[in-house]
Amino acid sequence: LSAAGIPWSVLRNYSSASAKEKARRNAICERTELLEVLKARAKQLQASNVPEVTVNKVELAPLGNDKYQDPLRKVVAPGAAEEQPAPRGRDESPARPSSWVEKLKKEMYIRQLKVERKLSIAASQLAREGQAKAKPKAKAKPKAKAKPKAKAKPKAKAKAKAKAKKSQKSLKSPEAPKAPKAKVAAAWSQSHAGPHGLYARHKPRVAAVKEGAKAQWPRRVLEHKDSSQYKILQQTIQSSLECFLFLQQPEEAERFLLLYHSSPVKRRLLSVNAYNIVMRSWARKGCLQRINQLFSMLESVGLRPSLDSYAAALECMGRNQSSTKAIWRCVQQLKNDGFHVDELFQKCLFEEDEKEKVLRAIRIVQPNYQLPPPPKPQTCKSSLLQDFYSKEKMVPYPKLDFTVQELQERFQQQLEMELDNTVTIESVESTKPLTPQAIKARKLLATLRSQWHDSILQALQKSKCSMSKLKTVSGYNILYPYLCLMPDEEYVGIMLQILNTLSPQGESLAVLARELGSKIYNRYITQRKLRSRQLEKVQEVYEEYIHLLAKDSQPDKYLPREYWEKLVAEAGFGPSLNLKDCSWPYMLLMRLGMHMLELLVQAVKVPRNVLNPHLEPRFIPVLYHVYSFHSSWQVGLIKPHPIFSQIVSDAAETLLTFNSSAIPMLCPPVPWTSPHFGAFVLNDTKLMRFVDGAVQHQLLLEQCPPVNLHPVLDALNQLGNCAWKINQPVLDIIISIFNDKGNEKLDIPPPISEAPRPPAAPSNSSTCNKSQKHELLLCKKKTAEMHSLRMDALYKLSIANYVRDKVFWFPHNMDFRGRTYPCPPYFNHLGNDVTRAILLFAEGKPLGPKGLDWLKIHLINLTGLKKKNALQERLEYANEIMEEILDSADHPLTGRKWWMNTDEPWQALACCMEIAKASRSPDPAAYISHFPVHQDGSCNGLQHYAALGRDLIGAMSVNLMPCSVPQDVYSAVAQQVEEFRKKDAEQGVKIAQVLQGFVSRKVVKQTVMTVVYGVTRYGGRLQMEKRLKEIDEFPEEYLWEASHYLVKQVFNGIKEMFSATRDIQNWLTESAKLIAQSGRTVEWVTPLGLPIVQPYYRSRSTVLNCSMQNLSVKTSNGNQKPDTVKQKNAFPPNFIHSLDSTHMMLTALHCLRQGLTFVSVHDCYWTHALTVDVMNQICRQQFVALHSEKILQDLSEFMLEKYCSPGRETRALWQKKLMEQLSNVPKTGRSTGQELQSSGAVWR
């Protein structure tokens, strides 16, 4: 295969036809297959002497004219996708084929066009037959085949006509033969670029063509209208129609719609929404006649107009001021269809001036009509939050230390940043002196980039030109409208941005394609928000919203979400703040990205002699397509030429460009008010993170009553409203070490120049032995790792330096379990020790009487010392070492460097500096501190299990019960394991004797921590082995046996200490197993009302054909069977994570009511030193409140209702078994909430 790397035998497995259907292939398909096999053999012979991994010469022929034509042939099975490259034939090479192979391609292409012509003739005859509704005069034999040619004879026409009519009947007839197991998605994905890709794509495509000619579209998709696959196909059509709407091309939109409407088979993929988009296109032009035609088309296919259909019609009538009679008829029809006029304004989403035009039309027939009042705000009824949402107990929302004017200025800065889409900042390496070599390289790079800009622009325009010509031949090129959404310069800018950030080690094709596609989509969404005037409305509402937060405005007893909703309701007119759903299917993003990547590889070239004048002055590609092997798979990479990497390295550029969403916000985030709206001003952000292509979570959130999501939205808004600033002294020290060769011990990565040098290659390469090759590979691996770590640190430090004098905010969203995360990916408080050390709260509070003590206790916690000691003992220890603390603060790099030997050195240093300032102030209690103090959970997962099972002994081990000193569960388990070991050693067990002196807290900690998250004995053994390897004295020959013995004893120890934990874990696991075996995914609802579904399905690889290489994409979606193993293994940890997030959100909301600053890193809670005691009290109260609910009983009842349908007298055996399992809730112990309430060390 040309640059595809997939053997023919493997590719055949991706055919969309069943074995039975393959046997019935007609002569056309057989001849085409033969050509393909000959071509494959030619390729193999041609490449017989080429090494297994070669560089693609990237001399791509022009992109084919028929590339990505009909979306019904090209979309791939939807779902979470990741690159899973297909194995490549041993003798295959991506080298350029010879001329006779090109002739084969040409001949095969001609045959392909003939087959497509047959399809179009058959489809048009089918359409005519459907319109005439006439019975065929001639009866075709069952096995008759239509063989129309360019100029068909009358007899052939009659046969084709009869066959088409018979096929149309067969769609309705129950006796019709079953459609083959072809998947529309697979057929779609197999289509390829012009003649270059026909060999790779042909087989599945011909299957689709043949079935189309028979009017037998695969029914599995078309008959399961609720399947994800069906919805993705609909979404692709609607995305293309939305493009035409955006481009203000109603004629093109209607033409595209008719391609599907005119086919009795394809039209099943058209929903009312597709017709509505075209109606909206014509409504903006005021063409009522076209809208009437679309209503007739809807009626002809048996679809019922929706509210949006009537909204478009009335908008058009309001725009051209239609007659009263016409509007009256429309309104009457709306009412006859069961709708009410008020619903137009309550349920429809409007853009630009659509709402005003609809209202104008309504008032022509009802002059006194008034907009319906906004719905009365609903209040969350959760028993956990009755006090929080009680109007009687409502308190004014805390103010920020900014005036209205200051917040407005910050909003404008943020808006300008997001409108630019990218932010270019100075790197922290910019302080280095500029060498003459760097100046020369920068000039050269600037010249080359100017040339590349012109080359890419020319290649893009040429590609679009060839695509536009296709419209007159055979329908639409599916990518063409997506390449017209923005000026060509913007696409070029995106491609150059990707080129500039490419690592010298290269990057996966799938990653680059996804990034390119996503960047284009994000720009499109920004433009849509501008065009729809949504941004104007957001601006107006935000200017009022900041009065809730500004210190110079009146206090208001509203939550941010409530206040925003109130302001939107008062605004009345204008566009809706939620855009109509316009998300692009994942595989469309990938295909668009691959097209851009192909243009980039094709266009960007550099003179071969640019660094060495003695070489031949010819142009060579800057980017190369290579393969890297991962186990038995090969992964396609795009790698820069060493010449380009050398120029970039010599230039040592100091500017970094980021997407605006990667930078912390310069104003308070827009509050979350729905799953679609919140966080950034313009950047599109989802409330719930999910893997690429997954749609299940979003559907679940949309189906959830909005009031059920209020607690989650309010908690996210509270976390996002925390203002931050930079700890400048610590940042400056870190940057100085970063620019001075780094320090691996302090987690500051050294530059690539410090990477180990590969061994010198011998003069005779054949003498290079195995060990030398291995050493070379290790050096390359180490260099790649160092580059990755260095760039990660560079990004974090450069962003921190960019906002060093600013106050900033981190908008939050969550994963599917409800765990919260800051949206900016590089620099945030969830980062490593270095990142956390340079963050301070923007708001300062006095330390108060106990604040300094809490700072000292926090410092000792950061050192990792005194974990078993009481808080008072830790405080005393801090006072004992005050001299070391002050020396670290005063002379961090030149003193005794005590801080460097702690678990979290940079946070310890920052804390030393804060303690020094506070203790030296005249009145430490009045010292204004911005420093965050952390309170960490004690093995948080086991805490939840112990509380769920009312497990007294387990609860004591994880500090849920009152105790004089904090308990350390890891030490307790290690002690238990040591007792088991001693007994076995006394009985002569050899491995128990070998382990004497090696059983420690460190050895067992990771396994104990992860047992609660479902680690198996196999995984636990690997963890133990890793820990034992770190002990130099441990005999290596006993590693396997010792780790096997230890994991068994750890599991036994936990079983004894946490008797109820294993019972609950087993119940959750077995329940999930039976649910998955019944063909359903595991779902539940958290105590705060958040719906959760586990997105684990049996993945399926689907080939996405592109000219550069075939991407084998692993997909998973709701239309596939659940992955039973993942569903059952993941349920216990995911359920505990959801409880963990629920407790955090409850704590956040109640801290808000008490006026506390609060943020979290999962189970680690941060606040000011002044308010640590109050936060600890709230934390315990909410933990008790959460576990006072009947959590397991509620889960059992929810699952019984969802998975075991009531009222059936006869049930299947599996259903009875599932009912029995779900009903058998584990029994719990008798410890009470009062005991827990009095415990002082839940968080420490």
Side-chain angles (χ1 to χ4, degrees):
L1 285 178
S2 177
I6 300 179
W8 174 240
S9 59
V10 173
L11 190 62
R12 282 179 69 97
N13 294 334
Y14 292 102
S15 170
S16 58
S18 66
K20 192 182 238 182
E21 207 282 321
K22 287 176 190 172
R24 299 199 311 268
R25 288 194 182 281
N26 60 21
I28 295 171
C29 294
E30 288 167 3
R31 285 197 294 274
T32 312
E33 270 189 41
L34 179 60
L35 282 170
E36 291 173 342
V37 173
L38 286 170
K39 179 180 164 188
R41 181 61 182 147
K43 274 293 199 183
Q44 289 176 341
L45 291 171
Q46 192 180 32
S48 57
N49 294 320
V50 182
E52 196 164 73
V53 180
T54 57
V55 175
N56 187 346
K57 295 196 175 176
V58 197
E59 296 174 0
L60 300 179
L63 296 170
N65 283 344
D66 72 332
K67 188 171 188 181
Y68 315 137
Q69 291 175 12
D70 185 346
L72 284 174
R73 299 193 198 127
K74 293 161 185 79
V75 112
V76 102
E82 60 191 56
E83 184 180 11
Q84 173 113 4
R88 182 181 180 194
R90 184 173 295 173
D91 296 322
E92 287 182 291
S93 162
R96 190 177 176 85
S98 62
S99 59
W100 68 272
V101 177
E102 290 288 350
K103 288 179 182 177
L104 283 178
K105 283 184 182 178
K106 189 174 181 181
E107 185 178 347
M108 187 173 60
Y109 182 53
I110 292 167
R111 290 182 181 278
Q112 183 72 35
L113 289 176
K114 288 180 179 177
V115 174
E116 289 180 355
R117 190 172 296 159
K118 289 175 73 174
L119 170 62
S120 62
I121 292 170
S124 62
Q125 289 171 343
L126 185 76
R128 285 199 298 272
E129 284 289 324
Q131 289 168 3
K133 294 185 179 179
K135 293 182 180 179
K137 295 180 181 178
K139 288 188 178 180
K141 293 180 183 179
K143 292 187 180 179
K145 297 184 189 287
K147 296 183 180 178
K149 296 180 183 178
K151 292 184 179 179
K153 295 178 181 178
K155 190 175 179 181
K157 280 186 179 180
K159 283 185 179 181
K161 199 171 184 181
K163 179 66 182 172
K165 186 65 180 179
K166 184 178 185 299
S167 299
Q168 189 179 18
K169 284 185 175 181
S170 71
L171 287 171
K172 299 177 182 177
S173 168
E175 291 81 29
K178 288 186 178 179
K181 292 182 179 178
K183 295 177 177 62
V184 173
W188 194 346
S189 72
Q190 295 285 2
S191 100
H192 194 242
H196 304 289
L198 281 169
Y199 164 51
R201 76 178 171 196
H202 173 73
K203 187 168 182 176
R205 186 171 178 181
V206 170
V209 169
K210 182 179 174 186
E211 294 310 314
K214 290 183 180 180
Q216 287 280 334
W217 202 264
R219 295 182 187 175
R220 178 179 295 181
V221 173
L222 297 176
E223 289 180 2
H224 291 80
K225 297 195 174 186
D226 292 330
S227 72
S228 296
Q229 194 171 327
Y230 183 93
K231 286 173 182 172
I232 291 292
L233 291 170
Q234 282 192 334
Q235 190 184 7
T236 306
I237 294 167
Q238 289 173 31
S239 298
S240 299
L241 290 171
E242 286 279 3
C243 286
F244 292 122
L245 172 64
F246 178 80
L247 293 167
Q248 299 178 349
Q249 297 175 351
E251 297 88 355
E252 299 300 323
E254 188 167 306
R255 183 163 173 255
F256 186 83
L257 182 78
L258 287 171
L259 287 175
Y260 297 91
H261 177 82
S262 59
S263 164
V265 178
K266 291 183 182 180
R267 74 167 63 129
R268 298 186 188 187
L269 286 165
L270 293 178
S271 67
V272 179
N273 290 337
Y275 293 89
N276 289 346
I277 295 167
V278 184
M279 286 186 198
R280 288 172 60 209
S281 298
W282 286 120
R284 289 180 185 179
K285 300 280 186 180
C287 296
L288 188 58
Q289 185 183 355
R290 297 295 188 110
I291 292 176
N292 287 335
Q293 288 174 7
L294 287 162
F295 266 85
S296 300
M297 288 165 64
L298 269 178
E299 187 181 351
S300 70
V301 296
L303 290 175
R304 181 169 168 258
S306 67
L307 269 174
D308 284 324
S309 312
Y310 289 109
L314 288 166
E315 178 206 336
C316 184
M317 292 172 174
R319 209 172 283 284
N320 59 20
Q321 297 186 333
S322 298
S323 67
T324 306
K325 189 176 179 181
I327 298 172
W328 183 85
R329 278 202 308 266
C330 181
V331 171
Q332 284 303 116
Q333 191 176 335
L334 176 148
K335 291 177 180 176
N336 293 340
D337 277 343
F339 301 119
H340 192 277
V341 172
D342 285 353
E343 290 180 290
L344 290 168
F345 303 101
Q346 291 167 335
K347 297 180 180 178
C348 292
L349 297 175
F350 296 103
E351 296 183 13
E352 300 182 40
D353 60 349
E354 293 172 355
K355 191 173 186 178
E356 286 79 356
K357 300 304 178 189
V358 173
L359 185 64
R360 179 197 282 182
I362 298 295
R363 284 181 173 165
I364 289 174
V365 292
Q366 298 180 29
N368 298 323
Y369 179 81
Q370 295 298 318
L371 286 175
K376 189 178 178 182
Q378 292 180 288
T379 305
C380 176
K381 302 295 183 186
S382 169
S383 58
L384 293 167
L385 290 166
Q386 282 178 347
D387 287 349
F388 179 79
Y389 286 111
S390 166
K391 293 297 177 188
E392 294 76 28
K393 298 185 180 179
M394 189 76 75
V395 295
Y397 194 78
K399 298 289 187 180
L400 296 172
D401 192 24
F402 297 101
T403 63
V404 169
Q405 179 65 30
E406 287 169 338
L407 287 176
Q408 283 176 346
E409 289 169 3
R410 288 168 186 277
F411 173 75
Q412 287 303 321
Q413 292 172 15
Q414 177 66 28
L415 182 56
E416 286 167 18
M417 185 167 75
E418 291 191 40
L419 282 170
D420 290 340
N421 286 295
T422 59
V423 182
T424 301
I425 65 177
E426 281 283 343
S427 155
V428 291
E429 292 181 320
S430 60
T431 53
K432 293 180 178 178
L434 199 59
T435 63
Q437 184 188 22
I439 295 170
K440 184 180 176 183
R442 287 184 186 184
K443 284 182 181 176
L444 174 59
L445 205 51
T447 305
L448 289 171
R449 280 175 179 155
S450 175
Q451 294 169 3
W452 294 338
H453 175 279
D454 296 340
S455 301
I456 297 170
L457 183 61
Q458 189 177 355
L460 176 65
Q461 290 170 344
K462 186 178 178 182
S463 168
K464 286 173 66 175
C465 182
S466 65
M467 287 180 181
S468 64
K469 291 175 184 174
L470 184 68
K471 287 196 287 186
T472 59
V473 182
S474 57
Y476 276 91
N477 184 302
I478 190 63
L479 289 187
Y480 182 66
Y482 297 90
L483 296 175
C484 300
L485 296 173
M486 298 176 290
D488 291 345
E489 291 283 345
E490 289 215 34
Y491 292 97
V492 175
I494 288 170
M495 287 188 267
L496 283 173
Q497 190 183 341
I498 292 292
L499 178 65
N500 292 338
T501 56
L502 190 62
S503 156
Q505 284 75 39
E507 186 57 88
S508 152
L509 260 82
V511 170
L512 291 174
R514 182 168 62 240
E515 193 173 347
L516 277 163
S518 298
K519 282 180 182 290
I520 293 168
Y521 173 73
N522 290 335
R523 297 276 179 100
Y524 163 66
I525 289 297
T526 300
Q527 292 304 314
R528 267 199 65 170
K529 288 181 178 179
L530 287 168
R531 176 84 63 82
S532 70
R533 290 180 31 212
Q534 187 230 38
L535 176 60
E536 286 178 35
K537 190 163 183 178
V538 169
Q539 212 165 346
E540 290 170 16
V541 175
Y542 195 93
E543 284 176 4
E544 293 299 317
Y545 167 71
I546 54 182
H547 286 85
L548 178 72
L549 309 174
K551 64 182 179 183
D552 59 342
S553 58
Q554 290 297 316
D556 257 317
K557 293 184 177 182
Y558 285 99
L559 292 167
R561 172 189 53 79
E562 294 170 340
Y563 197 65
W564 185 276
E565 287 172 345
K566 170 180 172 284
L567 293 171
V568 170
E570 289 171 355
F573 287 102
S576 308
L577 289 186
N578 287 344
L579 288 179
K580 289 177 186 288
D581 181 44
C582 53
S583 53
W584 295 350
Y586 177 64
M587 292 312 295
L588 179 62
L589 282 177
M590 290 290 287
R591 189 172 284 289
L592 180 60
M594 279 299 292
H595 179 68
M596 308 300 282
L597 200 54
E598 287 163 6
L599 290 177
L600 191 62
V601 170
Q602 177 189 354
V604 179
K605 297 188 177 180
V606 65
R608 186 164 174 257
N609 65 341
V610 71
L611 295 181
N612 186 351
H614 302 296
L615 294 174
E616 180 187 353
R618 65 183 177 88
F619 281 92
I620 58 172
V622 169
L623 300 177
Y624 280 80
H625 177 218
V626 299
Y627 291 104
S628 172
F629 286 88
H630 292 176
S631 185
S632 60
W633 296 99
Q634 65 175 10
V635 178
L637 301 176
I638 294 296
K639 201 168 183 179
H641 194 284
I643 290 176
F644 173 69
S645 297
Q646 187 63 51
I647 296 171
V648 170
S649 176
D650 291 345
E653 291 182 303
T654 57
L655 291 178
L656 297 172
T657 300
F658 296 98
N659 289 336
S660 56
S661 58
I663 306 294
M665 287 187 72
L666 305 179
C667 67
V670 174
W672 284 106
T673 55
S674 76
H676 302 280
F677 187 81
F680 293 99
V681 179
L682 269 177
N683 290 321
D684 199 39
T685 313
K686 294 292 183 188
L687 175 68
M688 191 171 275
R689 303 174 174 211
F690 40 77
V691 288
D692 292 313
V695 294
Q696 304 91 338
H697 310 293
Q698 197 66 24
L699 292 173
L700 208 57
L701 289 173
E702 287 167 5
Q703 292 161 9
C704 179
V707 69
N708 290 6
L709 294 177
H710 285 175
V712 172
L713 300 179
D714 292 335
L716 287 171
N717 292 337
Q718 169 61 3
L719 296 172
N721 274 347
C722 176
W724 300 86
K725 69 175 187 176
I726 294 296
N727 189 336
Q728 295 187 17
V730 176
L731 175 63
D732 291 336
I733 294 168
I734 293 170
I735 290 174
S736 68
I737 295 176
F738 180 84
N739 284 332
D740 184 29
K741 298 187 177 179
N743 186 321
E744 287 191 90
K745 184 190 169 188
L746 295 176
D747 206 15
I748 299 189
I752 300 296
S753 58
E754 301 300 304
R757 299 292 175 197
S763 55
N764 183 2
S765 60
S766 61
T767 62
C768 186
N769 60 33
K770 191 175 180 180
S771 64
Q772 287 173 317
K773 287 180 180 177
H774 182 67
E775 193 176 344
L776 180 63
L777 280 173
L778 287 178
C779 285
K780 285 185 176 180
K781 185 181 176 186
K782 179 67 176 174
T783 303
E785 286 173 357
M786 286 178 66
H787 179 269
S788 177
L789 291 170
R790 180 77 176 179
M791 294 309 294
D792 180 61
L794 177 68
Y795 290 169
K796 287 175 178 173
L797 295 177
S798 298
I799 292 171
N801 200 45
Y802 173 70
V803 294
R804 67 181 296 138
D805 299 313
K806 300 178 173 73
V807 172
F808 50 91
W809 287 260
F810 295 124
H812 281 61
N813 62 0
M814 60 187 173
D815 66 14
F816 75 91
R817 302 162 302 186
R819 297 198 106 183
T820 58
Y821 300 85
C823 297
Y826 301 114
F827 175 66
N828 58 61
H829 60 285
L830 259 69
N832 60 2
D833 175 47
V834 173
T835 315
R836 294 184 191 190
I838 53 184
L839 281 168
L840 295 171
F841 292 135
E843 181 186 9
K845 289 189 178 179
L847 284 179
K850 292 180 67 178
L852 183 56
D853 289 349
W854 272 116
L855 283 174
K856 292 175 181 177
I857 292 168
H858 175 56
L859 174 62
I860 302 308
N861 290 343
L862 290 169
T863 65
L865 305 169
K866 308 293 178 184
K867 286 183 179 289
K868 299 180 189 177
N869 298 69
L871 297 180
Q872 185 59 37
E873 291 173 14
R874 298 181 203 184
L875 178 59
E876 288 167 6
Y877 177 69
N879 289 326
E880 287 170 19
I881 59 166
M882 272 302 289
E883 192 178 331
E884 297 286 0
I885 294 170
L886 296 174
D887 176 72
S888 294
D890 297 339
H891 312 288
L893 301 180
T894 56
R896 295 191 290 273
K897 304 178 186 176
W898 169 84
W899 63 276
M900 288 189 183
N901 298 312
T902 59
D903 281 2
E904 309 281 358
W906 289 108
Q907 290 176 81
L909 174 61
C911 196
C912 287
M913 291 178 168
E914 188 74 0
I915 291 169
K917 289 178 195 170
S919 60
R920 288 166 178 167
S921 67
D923 180 8
Y927 172 77
I928 302 298
S929 174
H930 297 259
F931 199 84
V933 175
H934 310 172
Q935 296 288 283
D936 210 344
S938 307
C939 197
N940 193 242
L942 279 173
Q943 285 182 329
H944 283 290
Y945 269 125
L948 282 172
R950 306 291 191 268
D951 188 343
L952 193 60
I953 299 171
M956 289 185 70
S957 304
V958 287
N959 297 296
L960 292 183
M961 304 298 286
C963 198
S964 57
V965 293
Q967 297 298 299
D968 181 42
V969 66
Y970 310 116
S971 299
V973 173
Q975 189 178 337
Q976 186 94 323
V977 171
E978 177 61 16
E979 287 175 15
F980 293 152
R981 188 204 64 78
K982 281 180 181 175
K983 286 180 186 175
D984 289 343
E986 288 168 8
Q987 293 172 9
V989 178
K990 174 69 174 171
I991 194 63
Q993 294 168 349
V994 171
L995 277 164
Q996 184 174 351
F998 293 109
V999 177
S1000 65
R1001 179 185 189 275
K1002 187 176 181 181
V1003 169
V1004 304
K1005 179 179 176 180
Q1006 188 182 8
T1007 306
V1008 175
M1009 190 189 299
T1010 52
V1011 157
V1012 66
Y1013 298 125
V1015 75
T1016 60
R1017 294 202 177 204
Y1018 174 78
R1021 191 201 68 74
L1022 293 176
Q1023 292 170 346
M1024 295 288 189
E1025 185 177 301
K1026 194 174 180 182
R1027 298 287 81 82
L1028 290 172
K1029 270 184 185 176
E1030 293 168 358
I1031 304 172
D1032 296 333
E1033 299 80 20
F1034 190 80
E1036 195 172 331
E1037 64 272 20
Y1038 288 106
L1039 274 176
W1040 192 94
E1041 195 178 350
S1043 56
H1044 187 269
Y1045 173 83
L1046 280 177
V1047 76
K1048 180 182 172 184
Q1049 301 306 339
V1050 167
F1051 273 62
N1052 288 340
I1054 291 174
K1055 195 170 183 179
E1056 274 195 23
M1057 293 175 64
F1058 297 88
S1059 54
T1061 295
R1062 298 304 286 184
D1063 292 341
I1064 295 170
Q1065 206 168 23
N1066 292 338
W1067 180 73
L1068 293 172
T1069 303
E1070 187 61 23
S1071 298
K1073 177 184 171 185
L1074 292 174
I1075 290 168
Q1077 285 175 344
S1078 73
R1080 310 280 295 276
T1081 49
V1082 179
E1083 291 183 31
W1084 69 98
V1085 176
T1086 71
L1088 278 186
L1090 178 68
I1092 294 175
V1093 56
Q1094 292 196 146
Y1096 310 123
Y1097 300 90
R1098 291 184 192 173
S1099 59
R1100 179 181 63 211
S1101 289
T1102 315
V1103 175
L1104 177 66
N1105 286 150
C1106 304
S1107 10
M1108 200 179 303
Q1109 106 169 34
N1110 289 355
L1111 283 181
S1112 181
V1113 182
K1114 189 187 289 183
T1115 62
S1116 63
N1117 61 68
N1119 198 33
Q1120 292 168 241
K1121 290 183 179 179
D1123 185 322
T1124 304
V1125 174
K1126 283 187 179 178
Q1127 288 284 345
K1128 77 179 182 68
N1129 287 344
F1131 183 35
N1134 285 340
F1135 181 69
I1136 294 299
H1137 279 311
S1138 72
L1139 289 182
D1140 189 24
S1141 75
T1142 298
H1143 176 232
M1144 185 279 296
M1145 289 178 179
L1146 285 170
T1147 306
L1149 293 174
H1150 285 87
C1151 282
L1152 164 62
R1153 280 286 175 257
Q1154 298 286 337
L1156 272 66
T1157 300
F1158 175 90
V1159 290
S1160 80
V1161 180
H1162 304 316
D1163 66 339
C1164 180
Y1165 300 168
W1166 298 15
T1167 191
H1168 288 93
L1170 172 69
T1171 52
V1172 172
D1173 289 307
V1174 182
M1175 185 187 74
N1176 277 340
Q1177 184 185 4
I1178 293 171
C1179 174
R1180 287 194 299 276
Q1181 288 171 348
Q1182 296 314 309
F1183 194 89
V1184 174
L1186 173 62
H1187 285 284
S1188 297
E1189 300 281 302
K1190 300 178 296 179
I1191 294 174
L1192 293 179
Q1193 192 62 42
D1194 290 345
L1195 176 66
S1196 169
E1197 289 170 9
F1198 172 83
M1199 288 184 159
L1200 281 167
E1201 184 181 344
K1202 181 162 190 68
Y1203 300 110
C1204 303
S1205 51
R1208 280 193 186 176
E1209 292 180 8
T1210 56
R1211 295 180 187 277
L1213 184 62
W1214 67 265
Q1215 199 166 25
K1216 289 178 181 175
K1217 192 175 178 183
L1218 179 57
M1219 279 190 71
E1220 186 180 330
Q1221 170 64 25
L1222 294 177
S1223 304
N1224 189 21
V1225 181
K1227 294 177 181 176
T1228 60
R1230 297 185 178 180
S1231 62
T1232 65
Q1234 283 72 26
E1235 292 167 315
L1236 174 57
Q1237 188 74 57
S1238 61
S1239 170
V1242 177
W1243 263 245
R1244 55 197 178 90

